[in-house]
Amino acid sequence: MSTATRRALYGAMTSDGTLRNLLAAPAPGYSNGIYYQSAPDTAAFPLVIFNKQAGNPTEAMHDRPPSTARSG
């Protein structure tokens, strides 16, 4: 995940007051309960961890055309 994408996602989540109000107090040294890739051991629940799950381009994932879909 690019730094720009990570910062945009983090910014969107931290600016959402509803989400922030649902999270526990942040771990010492952090400003909120939203973490990238992993949370510190001292983090309390509930919290948010975000990261890139896969790097497959969208063209690599195709649905089966309706004419070849299985029936039954």
Side-chain angles (χ1 to χ4, degrees), residues 1-13 34-38 48-56:
M1 173 181 308
S2 72
T3 301
T5 301
R6 185 176 74 231
R7 287 181 178 168
L9 289 170
Y10 184 82
M13 289 186 282
I34 301 171
Y35 308 96
Y36 177 65
Q37 291 186 330
S38 65
V48 171
I49 298 174
F50 72 103
N51 62 297
K52 182 177 181 177
Q53 290 298 108
N56 294 338

Side-chain angles (χ1 to χ4, degrees), residues 4-26:
T5 301
R6 185 176 74 231
R7 287 181 178 168
L9 289 170
Y10 184 82
M13 289 186 282
T14 58
S15 65
D16 186 328
T18 303
L19 174 61
R20 282 194 337 266
N21 289 335
L22 293 171
L23 301 176

